[in-house]
Amino acid sequence: MLIIPKNNGSISYVTLENTIIFDKGYLEMVKVVKFGGSSLADAEQFKKVAEIIKSEDSRRYVVASAPGKRYDDDIKVTDMLYSCYKLVKENKDIDEAFKLIEDRYNGIIKDLGLDFWLQPEFDRIKNAIVHHAGRDYIASRGEYLNSMILAKYLGYDFVDAEEGIFFTENGVLDTEKTNEELTKILKEHTHAVVPGFYGVMPNGTIKTFSRGGSDITGSIVARAIGADIYENWTDVSGMLMADPRCVKNPKVINTITYAELRELAYMGATVMHEDAIFPVREKGIPINIRNTNKPEDAGTMIVSKVDSNKVDTVITGIAGKKGFSVISIEKSMMNAEIGFGRKVLEALENHKICFEHLPSGIDTMSVVVNDNDFLPVKETLIADIQRKTKADNISVYNGIALVAVVGRGMAGVKGTAGRVFGAIGNAGINIRMIDQGSSELNIIVGVAEDDYVKTLEAIYNEFVK
Ligand code: ADP
Ligand code: ASP
Ligand code: MG
């Protein structure tokens, strides 16, 4: 992506594929900037964040996470808060654990030289935890307190997410109400910090999104204020072609579509929460993933459409995760038995299990499920499937990792699947499952968990090196 300042003070964002994202007067522009936990882990990081924000007048709405890890085996404040909840559940004292949380925030306040005092907030929160406050309320205090400090440091208003982000009775985001109310509230503030990760239920209790959910808050705020761009600042220079913890120095993806990002994020590219694209996608607001520690890097631009003739690699990225099982069901003449699939899915539904994939053959049907949901109900679920389908044989394969190869450039390019399978085969890895979406946006393979990293490397090297 190129950022082209013009003489008249306006600015153009042009992707490497020469798609102009926008071209607008600089002074009119509004950016929503979200900073993740590693970007706000200590005072040094706060200073970098403030410098980034102050370097452009357009960065007026800020979404903040709780303090994350300062070093590898550090503990995120969100996890420290979950531990306090657990201690209370076990009727244990939280004095020591809570003191560590206070120390994290007091350290930041002191090192920033702020004349600011959060003790009354600490006392109120600790009292609520001791009196069995809800798990989500407790976890949300990490972003609540950090955002108060950031607002003070920047001289921005603090706008609590519980005033403007609403969930329905079913615990899903109430998009309409949130948009309406949040837009009204934000219009009253020219500059504001909003805590990420949480909102409020109809009964007034706090509810959080799933882990990493501050990315969703950033997207909601961007949509509510009608931002020109949603910048998501983290500790890597964009969405990388593979998980940097598995593949050495993977390339940065310059431009990616919302659909590709969702696939990669869902399949384990945790740099961005997979649900964060929805609020901005509706309005076509581009997301720019940037690195707080290297603000000079252009990062990754996420947009609705990119000309597929202008891709430099056939694949856009690779992602994966461990912790799956394959339930393989065999029955002769399954192909002619009407309602067979329904019976299997009904058994899954009865056990409240979502399936990830359903690859099938003539007389076999496989169901790929997440171990977290499946293992606790394994015995009764298999018995239920057996009873309903009268299968000849049901086998379960545990310890499966799924790897997704994603790319808008794959559709219609002959031989892509062959190259994926060839690379995996040449690395001596046995493929346990294959699935390809009809949109040809992804190819998903299941391999043994022990082969996970080797599989990512083999595919990466085939297409990138
Ligand atoms: P934040 O605290 O800013 O929200 P996260 O830890 O949630 O940051 O996400 C950033 C991390 O995501 C990176 O440090 C990296 O280890 C991990 N990650 C996994 N897959 C990818 C990928 N494909 N591209 C970039 N980062 C990735
Ligand atoms: N602090 C929350 C978490 O650790 C939310 C976030 O960082 O986005 O999951
Ligand atoms: Mg994150």
Side-chain angles (χ1 to χ4, degrees):
M1 183 189 67
L2 300 170
I3 301 172
I4 307 174
K6 298 204 198 142
N7 292 340
N8 63 3
S10 74
I11 215 166
S12 295
Y13 277 71
V14 183
T15 67
L16 286 188
E17 289 79 18
N18 292 327
T19 313
I20 296 177
I21 307 288
F22 57 74
D23 184 353
K24 193 167 176 184
Y26 175 72
L27 293 175
E28 300 162 31
M29 230 166 62
V30 178
K31 291 184 173 182
V32 168
V33 287
K34 178 259 170 180
F35 290 88
S38 52
S39 302
L40 292 166
D42 58 21
E44 282 319 300
Q45 292 300 96
F46 265 69
K47 288 177 191 168
K48 291 184 197 169
V49 165
E51 203 166 304
I52 290 166
I53 293 170
K54 299 286 170 155
S55 69
E56 276 191 31
D57 293 343
S58 56
R59 294 185 173 130
R60 295 202 274 118
Y61 297 94
V62 182
V63 172
S65 283
K69 292 184 180 193
R70 293 160 294 183
Y71 40 84
D72 270 357
D73 47 7
D74 196 14
I75 305 173
K76 292 179 173 192
V77 165
T78 309
D79 290 311
M80 296 164 89
L81 288 161
Y82 281 128
S83 300
C84 286
Y85 170 80
K86 196 161 163 265
L87 286 171
V88 171
K89 276 250 155 211
E90 293 162 355
N91 288 320
K92 291 186 183 144
D93 188 88
I94 65 161
D95 285 354
E96 212 174 300
F98 197 78
K99 172 79 174 35
L100 292 175
I101 297 173
E102 288 185 17
D103 289 348
R104 283 290 299 263
Y105 290 110
N106 284 335
I108 295 172
I109 293 171
K110 179 168 161 281
D111 293 347
L112 290 176
L114 288 176
D115 180 17
F116 190 49
W117 183 238
L118 277 177
Q119 199 56 48
E121 291 289 344
F122 293 146
D123 294 342
R124 210 150 46 90
I125 294 167
K126 185 174 176 189
N127 190 44
I129 298 176
V130 171
H131 289 95
H132 298 270
R135 187 171 184 268
D136 282 12
Y137 165 81
I138 296 171
S140 73
R141 297 304 88 183
E143 346 294 290
Y144 171 81
L145 293 168
N146 222 25
S147 299
M148 281 192 159
I149 300 174
L150 185 60
K152 178 80 184 167
Y153 187 51
L154 295 171
Y156 280 24
D157 298 337
F158 171 79
V159 172
D160 197 343
E162 72 170 290
E163 307 294 330
I165 296 186
F166 300 94
F167 291 94
T168 65
E169 290 292 355
N170 303 330
V172 294
L173 181 71
D174 187 336
T175 310
E176 224 167 276
K177 185 169 176 196
T178 296
N179 251 326
E180 200 172 305
E181 296 296 321
L182 193 59
T183 306
K184 260 193 250 160
I185 295 170
L186 292 176
K187 291 263 162 158
E188 289 167 14
H189 303 268
T190 57
H191 298 77
V193 178
V194 183
F197 195 34
Y198 69 93
V200 69
M201 290 291 286
N203 67 3
T205 57
I206 295 289
K207 176 172 169 53
T208 62
F209 295 107
S210 56
R211 296 301 303 263
S214 299
D215 293 331
I216 308 175
T217 309
S219 184
I220 292 169
V221 170
R223 187 197 156 142
I225 202 68
D228 295 286
I229 190 161
Y230 166 28
E231 288 179 348
N232 187 295
W233 291 81
T234 181
D235 62 352
V236 278
S237 292
M239 178 68 116
L240 306 171
M241 284 193 72
D243 188 332
R245 292 163 297 190
C246 302
V247 172
K248 226 171 151 204
N249 291 327
K251 275 194 181 171
V252 174
I253 303 170
N254 295 308
T255 315
I256 183 171
T257 63
Y258 296 124
E260 289 173 306
L261 180 99
R262 172 141 170 92
E263 295 278 350
L264 287 170
Y266 180 76
M267 284 303 295
T270 48
V271 64
M272 186 95 185
H273 194 292
E274 72 259 22
D275 293 342
I277 61 159
F278 294 117
V280 286
R281 188 174 68 175
E282 263 180 49
K283 290 272 169 200
I285 300 168
I287 308 171
N288 186 196
I289 302 179
R290 300 283 292 268
N291 189 345
T292 301
N293 305 315
K294 285 191 180 172
E296 64 282 8
D297 289 354
T300 298
M301 206 57 159
I302 303 152
V303 294
S304 55
K305 207 167 170 8
V306 183
D307 189 344
S308 53
N309 296 324
K310 290 179 179 153
V311 287
D312 46 1
T313 43
V314 177
I315 67 166
T316 301
I318 311 156
K321 44 188 183 181
K322 296 181 179 177
F324 294 93
S325 293
V326 179
I327 308 168
S328 173
I329 308 154
E330 289 173 29
K331 188 176 182 190
S332 302
M333 301 295 289
M334 178 194 291
N335 64 321
E337 186 177 325
I338 289 170
F340 187 91
R342 179 183 47 78
K343 291 173 195 159
V344 174
L345 297 184
E346 221 170 55
L348 290 171
E349 191 179 348
N350 290 345
H351 288 79
K352 299 200 175 355
I353 302 228
C354 292
F355 63 88
E356 299 283 330
H357 299 280
L358 275 183
S360 59
I362 302 174
D363 290 332
T364 62
M365 176 172 171
S366 298
V367 189
V368 183
V369 286
N370 188 318
D371 282 345
N372 289 337
D373 307 327
F374 169 62
L375 294 181
V377 296
K378 178 176 168 181
E379 309 302 330
T380 58
L381 173 62
I382 299 301
D384 197 17
I385 296 175
Q386 176 64 50
R387 197 168 43 246
K388 283 190 161 67
T389 62
K390 314 244 175 328
D392 298 334
N393 184 37
I394 301 179
S395 318
V396 175
Y397 304 96
N398 297 124
I400 302 289
L402 296 181
V403 174
V405 185
V406 175
R408 60 186 183 274
M410 296 191 322
V413 175
K414 292 191 186 75
T416 309
R419 283 177 71 188
V420 172
F421 305 143
I424 299 173
N426 291 339
I429 299 161
N430 183 23
I431 300 179
R432 315 285 278 272
M433 190 242 13
I434 297 172
D435 203 2
Q436 179 172 29
S438 54
S439 61
E440 290 186 55
L441 187 64
N442 61 23
I443 294 171
I444 294 175
V445 295
V447 296
E449 283 180 346
D450 286 347
D451 290 330
Y452 173 64
V453 173
K454 243 167 72 184
T455 306
L456 290 178
E457 286 170 340
I459 302 170
Y460 184 84
N461 291 337
E462 166 65 28
F463 286 93
V464 187
K465 294 229 161 125

